Amino acid sequence: MVTSPAPSSSSLKQRYHRDLFWVTLIICFITAIGTYFVNFSTVNNAFYAQALQLTSARPAAKDIVLVVIDDKSLNEIGRWPWRRFIHGQLLEQLSQAKVVGFDITFLDESSDPADDNYFADAIAKHGRVVLSNYLNAPLNTESIDPYLPFSMHAKELGYINIPIDSDGLVRRVQLTTLLPNDELALHFSLALLKAANEQEILQRYTQIDLAQGTDQTEELQRLIPFAGPPNHFQTVSYSDVLNLRVSADFFAEKYVVIGAWATGLGDKFPTPTTSQSLNMSGVEILTTILQSNIENSWNKEASQTTTFLFALSWVLLYCFFMYIFSPRSALFAGIMLGIFSLLSGLLIFYLWHLFIPIAPTLLGLAFTYPLWTWRSQELALYQMEHEIETLNHERPLLAMEHAYPDPPSILQGRNTFTHHFSELRSALARVRNLRQFISDSFNGMPYATAVFDNESKLTFATQVTDDYFAKLGHPSLVSDITLKQFLDIIVDNPEKVASIMTSLLAFRLPLRTNHKSLNPSFAHELPNTVETNLEQEMLEEALFSNELEI
């Protein structure tokens, strides 16, 4: 019967490398899909929140002060809304401030025109007041401005729109918006900088945003680098300023932002640095944006290409570890690589304020182990099955070689693990039986026999040989004894030993040396010399039989 030979080690290695290449390619493709086409916002947002809390804590700017309409102010001044002449009186106490911004929308005239006039005059007299407007969401095509007399006297207007992500958290802000009439609307924070005549800081953003164009709203949004939890900035009660309990010098050359803070008053938003029970007020978010503009400390989100390259580097490193490690070690390596990828993402965020979404990296690492383990097991089972099939088709030397696998049960198919294990056990049983037969055959010889491999190291010695060497003062033959050491024991003449070694090692044969007089009972009859003048015919016979008699 003609059977196909078992795959050679070179072909098996080639298939192993080929499978590794395709698995690596598939994992890279999965990573690319996860980067460019799948939205893992939950995982990425959670990682971003942790990155903010662990790496972005920084002190609040000392030149920014919040004047807050808190519960204390409501108790002292009265219910909201207040008469507008009160805001005019407040502005008189803030005359030394670099700029004053109201996070309050004065859209209509009040019931008392005199109050409105007083407030408008106070705005004009101060000269550095910014009022808030807002853009009609979601189109952002029109700005809704304050009452006209107030807008006319205000130094600048700035919108207070804050985009909210799909999960309800505030993470981003758009600093400029180009309206249909080609007017560039400024965010409230930039309006404060413009009113303070900070032209260098202002141009840093307006020139870039104008160059981006009008159809790239998403690209114009920046990640807000929240410096800490709510109540992070220095605050002063509105009533304390109004009642002169705070010196006017305290506000000299400072940015002053006025907004609602009291319970149930004003807007509050969840952010990555807030807890579920404590949200951040809108006025504090605006102040955070102002500080980020001044310090130019914006967080940046990596592009999809950068995210893919970051993920690809970790995935390829894991594929390399899968190639050189055992499955157990590779699993541990995968866990460690996942941890190190998270830590490296945190380090990059801390050093360069660059946020790299981590989900594609974790996705690629998660798929690497099962895919490569599956292919490795398939390859191992294929090789084992082919080797066993080849062995089964060979003619057995002995009937005792035959060993049959356990009959499969109803639930067991031909390709189950139990089937493959049963076939392997059958093949091993044949090998053990044949090995036992060969061992018994050698030990049944009446003379001492020793077998050496191509490296001239002892591979097998019969019990007769062990007994003989024990009589010579060598209790047992160790497995790593060399042919020369063996000959030195039984041949007294070193020159003869050298001659024998030269003749034998010229062919690098698996050697079996035997001598009928090595029986322990005839040890005293051993000749003192061994014939080593080997003729060419003897060497050829040794080459054929791999046996040389001494």
Side-chain angles (χ1 to χ4, degrees):
M1 178 182 295
V2 179
T3 61
S4 59
S8 64
S9 60
S10 60
S11 64
L12 180 64
K13 189 174 182 180
Q14 291 176 357
R15 179 171 181 177
Y16 181 78
H17 289 163
R18 184 173 64 251
D19 280 13
L20 176 61
F21 171 78
W22 283 110
V23 169
T24 303
L25 198 63
I26 292 173
I27 295 171
C28 292
F29 178 74
I30 293 174
T31 305
I33 293 296
T35 303
Y36 291 98
F37 300 104
V38 183
N39 183 14
F40 296 100
S41 58
T42 302
V43 177
N44 292 329
N45 289 339
F47 178 65
Y48 179 68
Q50 291 298 319
L52 271 179
Q53 296 176 13
L54 293 175
T55 65
S56 295
R58 66 183 190 277
K62 295 182 179 180
D63 59 347
I64 299 177
V65 179
L66 289 176
V67 176
V68 296
I69 304 171
D70 54 3
D71 293 333
K72 175 184 177 182
S73 300
L74 293 178
N75 292 332
E76 294 184 2
I77 300 175
R79 294 176 56 185
W80 184 265
W82 298 330
R83 295 178 60 179
R84 289 177 177 172
F85 82 91
I86 297 176
H87 301 303
Q89 292 177 348
L90 181 74
L91 284 177
E92 295 173 359
Q93 305 302 321
L94 300 174
S95 59
Q96 298 185 44
K98 177 182 289 188
V99 63
V100 177
F102 279 92
D103 181 25
I104 303 170
T105 54
F106 302 100
L107 298 180
D108 302 312
E109 60 180 331
S110 69
S111 58
D112 190 341
D115 283 0
D116 292 340
N117 293 334
Y118 187 92
F119 184 40
D121 292 340
I123 294 174
K125 182 179 179 181
H126 191 283
R128 300 177 304 280
V129 175
V130 175
L131 298 182
S132 58
N133 62 4
Y134 63 91
L135 306 179
N136 58 330
L139 300 178
N140 293 345
T141 57
E142 181 184 2
S143 63
I144 311 301
D145 296 335
Y147 181 46
L148 185 57
F150 302 154
S151 302
M152 292 175 55
H153 292 92
K155 182 71 172 179
E156 295 293 337
L157 299 178
Y159 62 85
I160 56 175
N161 299 61
I162 298 177
I164 300 176
D165 286 352
S166 58
D167 59 354
L169 269 66
V170 173
R171 296 184 180 87
R172 297 171 174 84
V173 63
Q174 185 170 331
L175 296 178
T176 61
T177 300
L178 193 61
L179 301 178
N181 60 0
D182 292 334
E183 177 186 356
L184 186 65
L186 300 181
H187 186 266
F188 183 77
S189 60
L190 290 186
L192 289 171
L193 293 171
K194 187 175 182 181
N197 200 29
E198 297 287 354
Q199 294 299 325
E200 183 178 351
I201 300 177
L202 189 67
Q203 291 178 3
R204 183 191 303 156
Y205 303 104
T206 56
Q207 290 181 355
I208 294 176
D209 290 354
L210 281 173
Q212 292 280 1
T214 60
D215 57 346
Q216 300 183 12
T217 302
E218 185 176 350
E219 284 77 3
L220 295 179
Q221 293 184 357
R222 290 169 168 81
L223 289 171
I224 304 174
F226 292 97
N231 307 333
H232 184 65
F233 288 89
Q234 55 181 336
T235 60
V236 179
S237 176
Y238 190 107
S239 60
D240 288 342
V241 179
L242 187 65
N243 296 322
L244 306 180
R245 288 193 285 264
V246 179
S247 172
D249 295 337
F250 175 75
F251 302 101
E253 294 302 314
K254 291 182 179 179
Y255 296 90
V256 179
V257 182
I258 305 168
W261 193 279
T263 304
L265 187 63
D267 47 5
K268 296 182 182 296
F269 302 94
T271 70
T273 58
T274 60
S275 62
Q276 295 181 353
S277 59
L278 184 61
N279 293 330
M280 184 174 290
S281 65
V283 64
E284 192 168 7
I285 295 177
L286 295 176
T287 308
T288 301
I289 299 171
L290 174 61
Q291 179 175 347
S292 303
N293 283 329
I294 296 173
E295 299 176 350
N296 194 23
S297 57
W298 294 100
N299 294 332
K300 300 174 288 293
E301 185 170 0
S303 65
Q304 289 183 322
T305 301
T306 302
T307 302
F308 175 66
L309 293 177
F310 177 82
L312 192 63
S313 62
W314 292 102
V315 168
L316 292 179
L317 183 60
Y318 193 19
C319 289
F320 174 73
F321 287 158
M322 291 294 299
Y323 177 71
I324 63 175
F325 288 165
S326 66
R328 178 180 298 180
S329 299
L331 178 61
F332 177 75
I335 296 174
M336 296 305 299
L337 285 177
I339 296 175
F340 286 142
S341 66
L342 292 172
L343 294 177
S344 64
L346 290 175
L347 183 62
I348 292 173
F349 186 75
Y350 175 74
L351 294 177
W352 296 287
H353 300 283
L354 179 64
F355 170 65
I356 301 179
I358 200 64
T361 302
L362 299 181
L363 177 70
L365 293 177
F367 270 93
T368 300
Y369 185 83
L371 282 177
W372 180 240
T373 302
W374 162 61
R375 288 310 306 156
S376 297
Q377 290 183 354
E378 284 286 332
L379 186 61
L381 290 176
Y382 166 80
Q383 180 69 13
M384 183 181 70
E385 185 176 6
H386 203 96
E387 294 285 356
I388 292 175
E389 183 179 357
T390 303
L391 180 64
N392 289 336
H393 282 82
E394 292 177 355
R395 180 179 179 181
L397 297 178
L398 303 168
M400 65 185 299
E401 265 194 77
H402 288 293
Y404 300 96
D406 300 332
S409 66
I410 298 177
L411 299 179
Q412 294 175 350
R414 176 172 174 78
N415 292 323
T416 62
F417 175 79
T418 305
H419 170 78
H420 290 295
F421 182 77
S422 179
E423 286 197 337
L424 177 62
R425 185 170 55 182
S426 171
L428 292 176
R430 294 179 59 182
V431 173
R432 291 192 188 99
N433 292 338
L434 184 60
R435 179 180 179 181
Q436 185 64 43
F437 172 78
I438 295 174
S439 177
D440 292 344
S441 299
F442 271 114
N443 285 322
M445 294 180 180
Y447 45 82
T449 301
V451 180
F452 294 83
D453 60 14
N454 283 333
E455 301 297 328
S456 302
K457 291 185 178 181
L458 180 68
T459 59
F460 178 79
T462 61
Q463 185 62 43
V464 176
T465 308
D466 284 337
D467 294 342
Y468 172 70
F469 272 77
K471 278 202 168 188
L472 294 180
H474 299 272
S476 61
L477 289 175
V478 294
S479 59
D480 59 348
I481 188 173
T482 64
L483 176 61
K484 184 178 184 309
Q485 293 171 335
F486 183 90
L487 293 175
D488 286 338
I489 296 174
I490 63 176
V491 179
D492 294 337
N493 191 331
E495 295 180 357
K496 294 292 186 180
V497 172
S499 178
I500 295 173
M501 289 296 299
T502 302
S503 301
L504 294 179
L505 297 183
F507 292 91
R508 305 296 296 174
L509 299 173
L511 303 175
R512 182 168 68 103
T513 64
N514 57 68
H515 200 294
K516 295 181 180 180
S517 61
L518 289 184
N519 190 299
S521 59
F522 303 102
H524 61 282
E525 299 179 6
L526 275 174
N528 292 329
T529 61
V530 177
E531 181 64 42
T532 59
N533 186 17
L534 302 175
E535 298 179 356
Q536 181 66 26
E537 292 82 0
M538 183 177 181
L539 291 177
E540 291 177 355
E541 181 181 344
L543 180 64
F544 176 78
S545 62
N546 288 350
E547 177 180 310
L548 186 64
E549 290 193 1
I550 300 178

